[in-house]
Amino acid sequence: MTEGFTRRTPSRRGEGLALRGEILTAAAAMLTESGREGDLSLRAVAREVGISAPSVYLHFKDRAELVAAVNRQAYERLVAELREARDRAGAAGPRAALRAMAQHYCRFAVDNPGLYRLMFGIERMPLSRDELPGHPLWLLHGAWTEAVSACRATPQDPPGPGADATGAPDPGPSDPGPNGPDPKGTGPTGPHPTGDRPTGNRPSGHLGPADDARVVRLLWFSLHGVVAMAVAMPFAADRQGLEEMADDLLDLALTK
């Protein structure tokens, strides 16, 4: 028996989901520590959980599938928390809801730096073009798109917290379909949905999905840059300063 190995109590019938969760937790901890997908060993994950290596393959066919599941779980958690923040602030209007999401995004990254790096910063094996539509970043992109579209559909809202006391209808979760959005179209890193970037003066108000997608990219990418710097610094993040910067970025993005 391998040194340091502690065998896990065998799962009873119907407890397979619990074991799968333990495998995901162990893999997430290892990925967070190493920062490299290539360093993850299924044998080491099995040893950490206290099971034999073949038992891992009952739940994940290979390392790539395990890493994808760990990554998806992290994105699902962040998306759920952002939507909770949006819903709590929703009575004050769509702009306040979007502001709450932006501020929570910053708090999530600062409170969970290892998890945030796992989602955005570890060294991963490159995806093929065919795999891109299934990446969980689309879950986060969809949450931002819902909130931005609702906010820009009510251009009369003044900036600042609690801007619109009447609120706006919740557009509901977006459904990108079984294959996800088109990676060549409105995606986070794709070209502008309408081809060339719009030029000239833009009238105020809701200009449509193409402009919403541009605002989403501007806001999300800017927030990511801010929190990535905060997490990378060798001193504690200024939480109030981050939230104020999130407010500034939101105001700037919504003028586009």
Side-chain angles (χ1 to χ4, degrees):
M1 184 176 295
T2 304
E3 183 180 354
F5 178 84
T6 302
R7 184 170 293 279
R8 178 185 184 275
T9 302
S11 298
R12 293 174 293 186
R13 183 180 295 274
E15 292 183 340
L17 285 178
L19 176 55
R20 187 178 190 275
E22 291 181 39
I23 294 171
L24 286 171
T25 298
M30 292 180 177
L31 284 167
T32 299
E33 182 177 355
S34 72
R36 290 170 53 90
E37 177 182 335
D39 291 343
L40 183 69
S41 160
L42 294 188
R43 187 174 297 277
V45 171
R47 186 167 56 248
E48 180 69 20
V49 176
I51 57 178
S52 63
S55 297
V56 177
Y57 290 98
L58 297 176
H59 298 272
F60 304 97
K61 67 180 182 181
D62 54 25
R63 179 179 60 192
E65 185 172 272
L66 175 56
V67 171
V70 169
N71 206 32
R72 176 169 288 273
Q73 187 178 68
Y75 273 96
E76 287 174 347
R77 173 184 166 183
L78 175 55
V79 168
E81 291 187 15
L82 289 178
R83 286 187 169 137
E84 288 174 6
R86 177 198 66 185
D87 292 344
R88 285 194 299 269
R95 184 159 188 148
L98 182 57
R99 187 176 300 275
M101 287 178 64
Q103 291 182 346
H104 186 81
Y105 188 89
C106 294
R107 288 194 295 270
F108 178 92
V110 171
D111 290 340
N112 307 278
L115 186 63
Y116 193 82
R117 282 192 291 266
L118 175 61
M119 297 167 65
F120 295 102
I122 71 166
E123 185 177 325
R124 289 193 180 87
M125 305 301 183
L127 290 175
S128 70
R129 195 72 176 175
D130 292 339
E131 293 174 295
L132 181 58
H135 194 282
L137 63 83
W138 292 108
L139 302 175
L140 186 51
H141 183 265
W144 285 123
T145 301
E146 293 167 14
V148 165
S149 296
C151 190
R152 284 164 55 83
T154 54
Q156 71 278 7
D157 292 352
D164 179 12
T166 63
D170 185 348
S174 61
D175 182 6
N179 297 319
D182 177 4
K184 299 179 181 178
T186 59
T189 57
H192 192 275
T194 57
D196 295 333
R197 181 171 172 168
T199 57
N201 295 327
R202 297 182 181 86
S204 61
H206 188 202
L207 302 182
D211 300 275
D212 288 349
R214 183 167 177 264
V215 171
V216 166
R217 288 195 298 272
L218 179 59
L219 176 60
W220 180 12
F221 291 7
S222 299
L223 286 172
H224 173 73
V226 167
V227 298
M229 285 292 295
V231 170
M233 291 294 102
F235 43 79
D238 177 2
R239 293 171 179 270
Q240 181 176 349
L242 280 176
E243 292 190 6
E244 291 173 355
M245 195 172 298
D247 290 346
D248 292 341
L249 290 173
L250 177 61
D251 291 340
L252 289 170
L254 291 177
T255 63
K256 299 298 180 183

